[in-house]
Amino acid sequence: MIFELWLAFGGLHLVLTICLSAAFGKYRSLRNSEKPKLSIIIAAHNEEENLKKLIPAIDNQEYPDFEIIVALDRTTDDSKSYLASRKNIKVLEIHKVPADWNAKKYALAEAIKQASGEWLVFTDADGYPSSKKWLSTMSQQIDADTQIVLGVSPYESEASFLSKYINFEAFVTAYLYIGRALLGNPYMGVGRNMMINRLFFNRMGRYESIKGILGGDDDLFIQQHANRFNTRVALDRQALIWTYPKKSWKAYFLQKLRHLSVGANYKNRDLMFLTLIHTTHFGFFLLLFLNTSQLFFWPMLLFYLFIKLVSYRFAASKIGTHINYMLLPLVDMLYAVLTPVIALWSKLVKDIPWKN
């Protein structure tokens, strides 16, 4: 009975994996040549050192018409002085956040009020573009029906195992939301790399319906307003926004608590999809280790890992990133265990800290 249940968990998880990977094969870049004006929106809280890396990288973009708007959220460092030394940057200072607003959403909302571009380009201060063609590659995906463009933001891979795990976890997150978007069911994006048509954003009520929720400035807006017709994805090595991994497991767990706590506000269909893929993943490894003495489990495990390797490698080639395939068995197992554990933890913890 345990073997049959294990096969069911593993088989269903692999079917979902194969379907998502197949979706990446359908991706075609539009290569639109139009260059609408872009407003790059950044909310920053004591991010002086990160801004010193990000702003020059944006200034060097090979794109004809864009503006940078930075909302400084209750900063106590010298971010304002640094930005004052740069040209063509609109800077807003946020000194107080209304009680019914989440701090980051309020900063973003205030910055957007100053935007004059046709499209809003969202990124975070702690990231940087992978190339000088980031903006042009993202804008190429715009057509007459497009209102939202979802990009990918991988993590730098450093020497530590934590860094390599975070890099893998970020890849799987992108694999899931990009794959679903390509299948016609967009359910989230990442605020470090996303474009939204400004008129559409305002017409949809901006952040009003989610302004008090911790986090979710990116995925909850996508939850409410993205669909198969108005959403496209940008897959290209030149369209990535790289960011830096946390330096400690504690910092990583707190970050994941914040991210996963937002999931309670997802649509039922998306919650069902995520529950199914994570439950089958967790169940596969749990039943495996309950029966490690059974020799017939190991050939099936090798088959499972082979399918995962091929699927992930194909998707990574489309995204323009890479993962450490030698570590795949270990990080895949750890991801299967940690994700449901942290998700459950996020439902039990009432006060989750937020840096803003």
Side-chain angles (χ1 to χ4, degrees):
M1 178 62 184
I2 290 180
F3 180 65
E4 288 78 7
L5 186 59
W6 180 72
L7 284 180
F9 276 129
L12 182 54
H13 186 74
L14 288 182
V15 167
L16 294 171
T17 298
I18 292 170
C19 288
L20 288 169
S21 296
F24 282 85
K26 300 178 181 179
Y27 175 74
R28 298 292 183 274
S29 176
L30 288 182
R31 303 298 178 186
N32 180 24
S33 60
E34 295 184 13
K35 304 292 183 183
K37 182 176 181 180
L38 307 177
S39 295
I40 302 169
I41 308 297
I42 305 166
H45 177 70
N46 292 338
E47 300 275 11
E48 179 185 1
E49 295 306 314
N50 287 327
L51 288 170
K52 288 179 178 179
K53 300 175 184 177
L54 174 63
I55 297 301
I58 296 177
D59 281 340
N60 289 331
Q61 288 294 299
E62 296 176 354
Y63 194 85
D65 194 7
F66 66 89
E67 62 180 359
I68 304 172
I69 307 173
V70 182
L72 297 178
D73 176 24
R74 299 161 294 156
T75 56
T76 57
D77 63 3
D78 291 327
S79 295
K80 181 181 178 181
S81 297
Y82 167 70
L83 294 174
S85 69
R86 308 291 302 191
K87 296 180 179 180
N88 303 319
I89 299 178
K90 296 180 182 179
V91 181
L92 292 82
E93 290 187 87
I94 309 296
H95 298 291
K96 186 177 181 180
V97 179
D100 58 340
W101 275 86
N102 165 258
K104 185 179 181 183
K105 291 194 194 77
Y106 183 72
L108 291 172
E110 291 299 296
I112 290 166
K113 290 179 182 179
Q114 306 298 318
S116 60
E118 295 177 48
W119 283 79
L120 306 171
V121 182
F122 295 89
T123 193
D124 287 346
D126 60 351
Y128 65 92
S130 61
S131 75
K132 295 181 180 181
K133 297 183 180 297
W134 166 52
L135 293 178
S136 60
T137 307
M138 291 287 287
S139 67
Q140 284 175 352
Q141 310 315 314
I142 300 171
D143 64 9
D145 298 319
T146 306
Q147 305 291 354
I148 299 169
V149 179
L150 304 178
V152 177
S153 181
Y155 284 82
E156 290 278 10
S157 183
E158 299 175 352
S160 70
F161 176 74
L162 172 60
S163 169
K164 298 182 186 307
Y165 175 74
I166 292 175
N167 183 279
F168 173 78
E169 187 266 339
F171 166 77
V172 176
T173 298
Y175 175 78
L176 294 176
Y177 78 78
I178 293 294
R180 286 272 288 176
L182 290 170
L183 289 172
N185 294 292
Y187 72 89
M188 68 162 283
V190 290
R192 287 188 300 272
N193 197 7
M194 185 168 67
M195 292 176 57
I196 303 176
N197 180 275
R198 181 168 61 88
L199 294 180
F200 174 79
F201 182 81
N202 291 329
R203 190 168 65 248
M204 294 299 105
R206 295 171 286 186
Y207 295 126
E208 283 299 321
S209 63
I210 58 174
K211 64 183 182 181
I213 299 174
L214 178 69
D217 54 278
D218 39 23
D219 48 349
L220 292 187
F221 186 88
I222 300 303
Q223 272 285 303
Q224 293 182 347
H225 305 300
N227 58 54
R228 66 186 306 124
F229 305 108
N230 69 5
T231 303
R232 289 192 57 83
V233 301
L235 301 185
D236 194 294
R237 186 179 298 276
Q238 298 185 111
L240 300 174
I241 291 287
W242 288 94
T243 190
Y244 308 97
K246 297 298 182 182
K247 301 298 184 182
S248 70
W249 283 98
K250 179 181 178 180
Y252 166 73
F253 286 138
L254 288 175
Q255 181 186 56
K256 290 306 297 180
L257 276 176
R258 293 193 296 265
H259 293 168
L260 294 177
S261 67
V262 178
N265 300 283
Y266 281 14
K267 296 174 183 176
N268 287 335
R269 70 176 186 186
D270 299 320
L271 286 173
M272 289 177 61
F273 163 74
L274 292 170
T275 299
L276 184 62
I277 201 160
H278 291 306
T279 299
T280 54
H281 199 188
F282 177 78
F284 175 82
F285 280 104
L286 176 64
L287 294 176
L288 170 67
F289 282 96
L290 288 177
N291 293 269
T292 53
S293 61
Q294 302 295 328
L295 293 179
F296 48 73
F297 275 76
W298 299 107
M300 296 302 297
L301 175 61
L302 292 176
F303 175 74
Y304 164 90
L305 291 173
F306 174 75
I307 296 297
K308 274 293 187 77
L309 174 63
V310 172
S311 298
Y312 284 172
R313 186 162 187 162
F314 177 69
S317 69
K318 294 292 184 178
I319 291 172
T321 186
H322 64 277
I323 56 177
N324 189 322
Y325 300 106
M326 296 298 293
L327 286 176
L328 179 62
L330 179 57
V331 293
D332 187 60
M333 179 185 66
L334 189 59
Y335 178 81
V337 175
L338 284 183
T339 302
V341 169
I342 299 175
L344 178 60
W345 188 9
S346 71
K347 297 181 182 299
L348 301 176
V349 177
K350 292 183 179 180
D351 297 318
I352 302 173
W354 187 265
K355 72 174 183 178
N356 285 348

